[in-house]
Amino acid sequence: YHSLLLNNYSLLLKMIPKNTEKIVLFLLKNIDELGYNINQISKLNNISVGSAFKILKDLEKNKILLKKKINNASHYKLNLDNCETVRLCELLLLGEKRNLKGYSKVYAEEIMRFEQADFIILFGSVLQRDDFNDVDVLFVTNQVKKVNDFCLEISKIRTKPVVPLILKKEGLIKEIKQKKEPILDMIKKGVVLKGESAFMEVIKNVNS
């Protein structure tokens, strides 16, 4: 059943054009209540304005995006009240996790064994290079001692220490709303290892 599910994810992900995937993930992870205009989306995702315009129009037509006029420019943001938008985002987050390679994949498989978190995000240098010093992980949970014990266990059997950042869901939402730069950067560049639905609930709460 598990492998059948993974195969279905793979098939669905292959059906989503790469640039569409880039734009949806960008709007999901770059949290801004005003949204982004076409020039920002185009430039920050290395997509031509023409291609970005076509994709945005299509996503708007399918109610995946909302459009708002600000100073004569159209700004776009995800329509998180649409369950299809949420499902699409969850699928793309799963795709990001499945694309992990090397050390980040090895550590991710270990970290995902922790069951008592709403969701878990892998972030920091382990995702960017092979010469990382430690492994940064956000655990959204109230089980502080269990997380610390769990990370110590992994650190004993792996070459680099796992450094947990532990937040309750309400605390994370508050920090995002206060635009705390390290937290925003972590969401922007991190990979959700577990709890895609709970992650989407947090993003929806912040955007509401």
Side-chain angles (χ1 to χ4, degrees):
Y1 175 75
H2 185 63
S3 61
L4 181 68
L5 211 59
L6 286 177
N7 287 338
N8 284 342
Y9 288 147
S10 297
L11 286 170
L12 286 167
L13 283 164
K14 282 174 186 169
M15 291 165 67
I16 302 168
K18 210 73 203 155
N19 284 343
T20 301
E21 182 180 332
K22 279 168 84 172
I23 287 174
V24 173
L25 279 172
F26 170 81
L27 291 172
L28 173 64
K29 292 183 163 203
N30 290 266
I31 298 158
D32 191 305
E33 63 271 18
L34 298 176
Y36 291 83
N37 65 43
I38 189 165
N39 290 325
Q40 291 169 321
I41 291 166
S42 163
K43 185 179 177 184
L44 295 167
N45 290 284
N46 295 314
I47 300 170
S48 72
V49 173
S51 294
F53 180 77
K54 188 173 181 300
I55 293 164
L56 292 166
K57 281 286 164 200
D58 193 43
L59 291 170
E60 185 196 354
K61 190 177 100 177
N62 287 294
K63 297 184 169 57
I64 302 295
L65 295 185
L66 298 170
K67 183 173 78 171
K68 187 177 182 181
K69 283 275 187 187
I70 302 171
N71 298 330
N72 296 323
S74 296
H75 283 63
Y76 295 89
K77 61 189 291 189
L78 291 172
N79 177 13
L80 295 175
D81 289 325
N82 180 0
C83 62
E84 285 183 25
T85 307
V86 174
R87 295 290 169 268
L88 173 61
C89 290
E90 288 176 2
L91 181 65
L92 295 179
L93 290 171
L94 282 167
E96 273 198 320
K97 178 174 70 179
R98 291 197 68 203
N99 287 335
L100 288 172
K101 291 178 176 61
Y103 290 113
S104 57
K105 183 178 181 181
V106 171
Y107 276 94
E109 285 170 353
E110 292 276 6
I111 292 159
M112 282 190 287
R113 289 190 297 107
F114 189 80
E115 294 179 353
Q116 291 164 294
D118 293 320
F119 62 89
I120 302 171
I121 297 178
L122 182 67
F123 65 102
S125 57
V126 68
L127 294 172
Q128 291 141 19
R129 54 182 193 266
D130 288 338
D131 63 336
F132 58 97
N133 294 321
D134 50 32
V135 179
D136 296 304
V137 189
L138 169 71
F139 292 85
V140 178
T141 179
N142 58 4
Q143 301 291 327
V144 176
K145 186 179 185 305
K146 286 183 180 177
V147 170
N148 283 322
D149 291 345
F150 175 77
C151 291
L152 272 174
E153 284 302 311
I154 298 176
S155 300
K156 284 177 191 171
I157 58 170
R158 292 283 165 208
T159 53
K160 301 293 168 78
V162 175
V163 181
L165 169 63
I166 307 162
L167 288 171
K168 292 180 182 176
K169 198 188 283 186
E170 310 78 49
L172 177 63
I173 290 167
K174 187 179 175 184
E175 296 219 358
I176 296 171
K177 285 184 174 179
Q178 289 174 347
K179 295 184 166 41
K180 295 281 179 70
E181 203 54 51
I183 297 291
L184 294 179
D185 194 60
M186 178 200 65
I187 286 172
K188 192 185 296 184
K189 297 173 184 171
V191 174
V192 178
L193 298 184
K194 197 170 187 176
E196 295 80 14
S197 298
F199 175 79
M200 291 305 301
E201 281 173 24
V202 164
I203 299 299
K204 187 174 178 180
N205 184 300
V206 169
N207 277 293
S208 62

